[in-house]
Each structure stands twice: as C-alpha cells, then as structure tokens.
Amino acid sequence: MNNVALTVLPETMLLTTENSSKEEQHVAGIKGEEQNPDQDSNKKLSNTNLVLTSLVAGAMAGALAKTVIAPLDRTKINFQISNRNFSSREAIRFLVNSHRRDGFISLWRGNSATMARIVPYAAIQFSAHEQWKRILEVDKPGEKPSPWLRMIAGSLAGVTSQSLTYPLDLARARMAVTDRLRYKSIVTVFVKIWKDEGPKTLYKGYTPTILGVIPYAGISFFTYETLKKRHADLTNEKPNAIERLIFRAVAGLFGQSSSYPLDIRRRMQTTSVIFGALPRH
C-alpha cells in the first residue's frame, strides 16, 4: 500500500525481459499481466514456470524500485506519523537535515528491512495474481475479459502477499522513524518487539492495512489493465516500456489515493509505541 512506487517501476523492468525473449511475453509487466492481445503466449509457459518466473522477476523488480525511492519513502513515513503539514519544502528540509545529522547513507535507513520485506512481498504478489487469475478464470479464451474479476484477483493477490509479509513491513516502519541507536538491524527490531511488546504487536495495524490493500490492489489492477486494453484496441499493438510505465503510474496514483487515509492510520498504529498513543479524531 505504501507501495505506490513499487507498482510503477517493476513493469518496465519486466518488459526488458519481454523484448529480449518473446517466449516470456505473458509475464512481461507486473501484477497480473495481460492475456488479451497476449493470450496465446500464456500457453508457452507451464504453470510451474509461470510461478517461478513471476517470483524471480517480481522480487528483482521490487528490490530495484524500492531502493531507488527509499529516501522519499522514508520521508513519507515520517510525515505520516507526525503532526507536521506536508509540503515540498518541508520534505526537502527533512532530507537535508537527515543528511547533515546522520550522513548520506542515513537516507536509506531501514532499506535493509524494506528489502527483507519487499523481495518476498513482490514475488508473492506477482505470482499470486497469476494464480488467482487462473483460479477465477479471469481471461477465459473466447470470452470478453471481466474487469471486475481482474479487480478481485488483484485484491486477493494484495491480501495474500500483505498477510504473509506484514511483520516485515512493521519492522521497516520502525527502522524508518527511529534513530540508528535504537534499532541497529531488522533482527534487533523483532527481538525488542517480542520481548518488550509481545508477539501480537507484530501484526499491529493489520486490519487497516488489509482494508487499504483491497481497494488499492483492485483499483490499481483495474486501471492498468483497462488502459492497456484501450491501447491495444486503438493501436493493435502491445504497449512499449514507456507506455507501461505511464499506465502503471496512473494506476498507482488512483490505487494509492483510494487507500491513503488507511495507510496513515496504519503507520500511526505501527509506530504508536515509539511516539505515544494515537491521537483522537
């Protein structure tokens, strides 16, 4: 859900694979790739190969995307859990102050926890989406694709991946909003949470997270697939790398906007032990 950047960049990375190997056209693009102009290419990959390809490509794409935007992601989390009003000037000031106080590398503080989470998260999400599409028969040959089934498949993929990796997301948020002396590593985060707050804390904020993932993933998939299909109808060609990037950016914008209030609530819950009780609204 805070993964707006994640859902933007990976597709371009997968498209490179598509361009270099037409045998893998089905998995080019992220999170539930197309079966409309490309339905025939799906048959070239067995279900096992499709799972493995989605896992590897998703993990690599997610890791690259999150590493690139890590400083901005850390800035976002800090504004979400504070009472400060966001502005571009304040965001730049936060980055500059972090650099001056803790050094350039501090801008990537918590990125190790992000990688520990995003690699399995992206891999599971992309693979799960393909499997949910297969189970729900989203793209049955000879039938018009159902956008609603695609939305449901996307939401289920988001719920599946988020549920399996949620403790890692909590650890990432803790590392992003604390100084380096409090949590030296992701292992330290889990050890301290387990001892001081109890194992149930590892899933604190889970409910608003899932409630946010459902519209976020569903709307993101729906928007991306709709734009891609519209492009195919107009041009009779598959979108290139830049077009996919634009489509996913728009999809991420709509998806993130739909779930942003719940994302803020989740961040406040996962960091409330550090900064005190949640404010009343």
Side-chain angles (χ1 to χ4, degrees):
M1 194 160 56
N2 53 24
N3 314 310
V4 64
L6 167 64
T7 59
V8 173
L9 293 180
E11 298 185 306
T12 304
M13 182 174 181
L14 289 182
L15 182 62
T16 303
T17 304
E18 177 190 7
N19 291 336
S20 63
S21 174
K22 292 186 178 180
E23 292 294 317
E24 297 179 350
Q25 286 179 352
H26 169 64
V27 293
I30 295 267
K31 290 173 121 183
E33 264 321 70
E34 67 271 21
Q35 300 194 5
N36 275 344
D38 308 318
Q39 265 186 357
D40 292 340
S41 65
N42 296 341
K43 300 176 182 178
K44 297 180 180 180
L45 288 174
S46 68
N47 190 56
T48 300
N49 288 337
L50 180 59
V51 170
L52 294 176
T53 304
S54 298
L55 286 171
V56 174
M60 294 176 62
L64 176 61
K66 274 296 185 179
T67 298
V68 170
I69 57 91
L72 297 177
D73 198 32
R74 182 168 184 247
T75 303
K76 182 197 73 171
I77 293 174
N78 274 273
F79 275 95
Q80 283 181 331
I81 54 87
S82 70
N83 293 322
R84 292 175 297 171
N85 293 324
F86 175 83
S87 68
S88 298
R89 178 178 297 179
E90 288 298 318
I92 294 173
R93 182 177 298 172
F94 172 81
L95 291 170
V96 171
N97 289 341
S98 296
H99 176 266
R100 289 175 177 173
R101 184 175 62 250
D102 300 317
F104 181 73
I105 299 300
S106 69
L107 298 178
W108 276 264
R109 174 166 170 71
N111 196 51
S112 60
T114 299
M115 291 300 100
R117 170 189 174 264
I118 211 62
V119 169
Y121 175 87
I124 293 170
Q125 186 177 49
F126 306 150
S127 181
H129 184 250
E130 293 296 338
Q131 297 309 303
W132 281 117
K133 287 205 302 183
R134 183 177 62 85
I135 292 170
L136 297 174
E137 298 183 332
V138 173
D139 295 293
K140 294 180 68 174
E143 295 186 11
K144 184 178 180 180
S146 169
W148 296 109
L149 283 180
R150 280 181 168 170
M151 182 179 289
I152 292 172
S155 295
L156 288 173
V159 170
T160 300
S161 56
Q162 189 70 59
S163 298
L164 294 175
T165 62
Y166 185 77
L168 293 168
D169 189 35
L170 182 143
R172 178 183 76 94
R174 290 286 182 93
M175 291 187 72
V177 300
T178 58
D179 60 64
R180 56 188 176 187
L181 297 178
R182 180 157 189 169
Y183 297 120
K184 295 182 178 179
S185 68
I186 188 173
V187 175
T188 306
V189 177
F190 285 120
V191 171
K192 287 192 174 184
I193 289 177
W194 190 277
K195 289 182 177 179
D196 300 340
E197 305 168 41
K200 290 184 178 180
T201 305
L202 294 174
Y203 275 85
K204 190 171 185 178
Y206 175 78
T207 299
T209 297
I210 294 302
L211 291 177
V213 162
I214 291 172
Y216 168 74
I219 291 174
S220 180
F221 279 117
F222 174 82
T223 302
Y224 177 71
E225 295 293 338
T226 299
L227 291 174
K228 196 167 51 177
K229 185 177 185 302
R230 181 62 176 167
H231 179 279
D233 290 341
L234 293 174
T235 66
N236 292 321
E237 296 179 356
K238 297 194 314 184
N240 58 37
I242 300 301
E243 290 167 336
R244 286 177 188 252
L245 182 63
I246 294 172
F247 294 166
R248 181 55 68 185
V250 174
L253 175 63
F254 288 160
Q256 185 70 28
S257 298
S258 69
S259 61
Y260 191 72
L262 287 167
D263 193 29
I264 295 177
R265 190 67 179 176
R266 173 176 67 106
R267 286 298 175 211
M268 293 172 69
Q269 283 192 303
T270 57
T271 58
S272 60
V273 172
I274 298 172
F275 295 100
L278 289 171
R280 296 183 180 274
H281 297 284

